[in-house]
Amino acid sequence: MLVSIVVPFYNEEESLKTFYDALTDVVNSQSDYSFEFVFTNDGSTDGSVELLRTLVNVDSRVKIVDLSRNYGKETALIAGMDYASGDAVVLMDADLQHPPFLISEFLKYWSEGFDDVYATRRERKGEPFIKKFMSNMYYRVLQSVTEQGVKVYPHVGDFRLLDRKVVNALTELREQSRYMKGMYGWVGFKKKEIFYDAEERVGGVTKFNFRKLLKLAIDGLTSFTTAPLTVSGYLGAAFALVGFIYGVIILIQTLFFGKDVPGFPSIMTAVLFLGGVQLLSLGIIGTYIGKIFKETKNRPLYFVEEVISDEK
Ligand code: UDP
Ligand code: MG
């Protein structure tokens, strides 16, 4: 049985060597399986690729898929899966935040017949409270608006083992805005959850800033549900109703009690508020149209500069 370890990386020269050493330690003790390591270079601008090249020369299990630019982790993952030939594929980060010793546990459950063994973070060390809070809220909203029958698995990263069946299913989904966390749930298959404690990264810095995370969050919502579109419809209806009732109240007050029609402040409030809601709804519609635009171009997901391996 061949197991492919797929590792997307972007500027990880500070972690890659430590990562490789830790990985081989674990893998060499697994004598029942043979392994290959598929490193996908997501457009690194540092010395990561040179470092890996030296490894290709000494370890024939190492393969580098060198993408033509930085496409983002989700795309780097699918590229890795496209080039992985194993009967199972393990996805993991290059910064040792995903402890390699869990691989033996993955393999145990895989041999018991599970197709998708995924590791859930028990504790997020070194992450600020606000980030944890926001991510909790986000998953709750996402699950509540996602189509029925599709389960969103909260706090589940990409650290997992996938059977060939699941890999084939995932690589068949060629959509442009890829939200892997949702796709694992969407394709289904027999899943098994295990737990681990996330460590701090061994070197370098996180490649996900707030802007990237926000983009990922919006992508997640808009690729898995059209609920935001419906919500803007409801909002419109609610405000129309409130406006109507308020109109009736003013009418009664003026006709029967002779009160002056309240003036400028209330009008301004209503105009600004409604204007805001309208723009928000337009923005939501726009986001979906933008997605349609991207998908209809039907471009390939990525281009490969070079595949570096020792097979000549
Ligand atoms: N990564 C990538 N392309 C990107 C950003 C990140 O391939 O555009 C890789 C990165 O090198 C690492 C993994 O994705 O191996 C997870 O990234 P990171 O550790 O920065 O994210 P965090 O753990 O902080 O969420
Ligand atoms: Mg990390």
Side-chain angles (χ1 to χ4, degrees), residues 30-299:
Q30 291 288 335
S31 46
D32 298 343
Y33 302 91
S34 46
F35 289 88
E36 70 167 357
F37 310 136
V38 183
F39 289 93
T40 356
N41 172 30
D42 191 14
S44 299
T45 49
D46 64 356
S48 312
V49 179
E50 280 60 47
L51 194 153
L52 279 177
R53 256 179 217 275
T54 59
L55 292 179
V56 173
N57 295 333
V58 293
D59 186 344
S60 61
R61 295 171 297 183
V62 179
K63 187 154 112 182
I64 312 169
V65 179
D66 191 10
L67 301 182
S68 61
R69 64 169 169 89
N70 178 252
Y71 288 91
K73 185 186 173 189
E74 314 282 306
T75 305
L77 274 175
I78 202 75
M81 284 193 251
D82 284 340
Y83 282 87
S85 47
D87 302 296
V89 169
V90 174
L91 309 175
M92 59 196 300
D93 288 356
D95 57 5
L96 277 183
Q97 282 190 302
H98 295 163
F101 71 85
L102 274 187
I103 292 175
S104 54
E105 217 168 315
F106 283 161
L107 291 170
K108 191 184 102 207
Y109 287 110
W110 181 45
S111 66
E112 285 174 14
F114 290 100
D115 301 316
D116 179 355
V117 190
Y118 60 95
T120 305
R121 272 172 301 196
R122 205 180 283 121
E123 169 118 25
R124 302 173 130 203
K125 273 186 209 155
E127 275 189 22
F129 167 78
I130 183 77
K131 196 174 169 189
K132 284 185 226 179
F133 177 75
M134 301 258 284
S135 109
N136 273 331
M137 290 297 291
Y138 176 71
Y139 285 120
R140 201 169 291 176
V141 172
L142 187 60
Q143 178 65 75
S144 66
V145 298
T146 298
E147 65 186 278
Q148 281 217 314
V150 178
K151 194 167 174 335
V152 176
Y153 296 85
H155 307 298
V156 174
D158 297 306
F159 187 25
R160 52 178 70 221
L161 177 142
L162 304 168
D163 186 80
R164 178 45 52 191
K165 282 184 283 202
V166 188
V167 176
N168 288 348
L170 286 172
T171 49
E172 237 178 81
L173 309 179
R174 305 308 285 189
E175 59 215 64
Q176 297 284 332
S177 36
R178 307 191 67 79
Y179 185 65
M180 294 295 285
K181 284 182 182 22
M183 293 169 128
Y184 299 125
W186 193 87
V187 296
F189 294 103
K190 267 166 66 188
K191 296 187 190 301
K192 172 76 192 168
E193 182 175 40
I194 60 177
F195 291 93
Y196 76 103
D197 295 306
E199 301 293 329
E200 289 182 38
R201 45 163 53 243
V202 278
V205 289
T206 175
K207 307 298 179 299
F208 283 90
N209 50 25
F210 182 73
R211 200 169 53 89
K212 267 196 182 174
L213 277 177
L214 186 68
K215 184 179 167 295
L216 192 68
I218 293 177
D219 251 5
L221 266 175
T222 49
S223 12
F224 270 82
T225 166
T226 48
L229 290 172
T230 322
V231 168
S232 54
Y234 285 138
L235 266 182
F239 284 120
L241 187 69
V242 171
F244 178 75
I245 294 173
Y246 188 50
V248 171
I249 292 176
I250 291 179
L251 199 69
I252 293 173
Q253 281 181 338
T254 319
L255 287 184
F256 298 99
F257 303 101
K259 261 197 176 172
D260 286 343
V261 179
F264 186 71
S266 51
I267 293 180
M268 273 315 278
T269 314
V271 167
L272 285 180
F273 187 66
L274 278 182
V277 172
Q278 281 171 357
L279 283 180
L280 180 77
S281 309
L282 268 183
I284 293 173
I285 298 172
T287 309
Y288 282 95
I289 295 181
K291 281 201 184 267
I292 299 171
F293 173 66
K294 265 171 95 179
E295 296 296 341
T296 49
K297 284 196 282 192
N298 214 0
R299 291 190 174 168

Side-chain angles (χ1 to χ4, degrees), residues 18-34:
T18 332
F19 170 76
Y20 171 79
D21 291 340
L23 181 65
T24 40
D25 272 354
V26 170
V27 156
N28 291 343
S29 65
Q30 291 288 335
S31 46
D32 298 343
Y33 302 91
S34 46

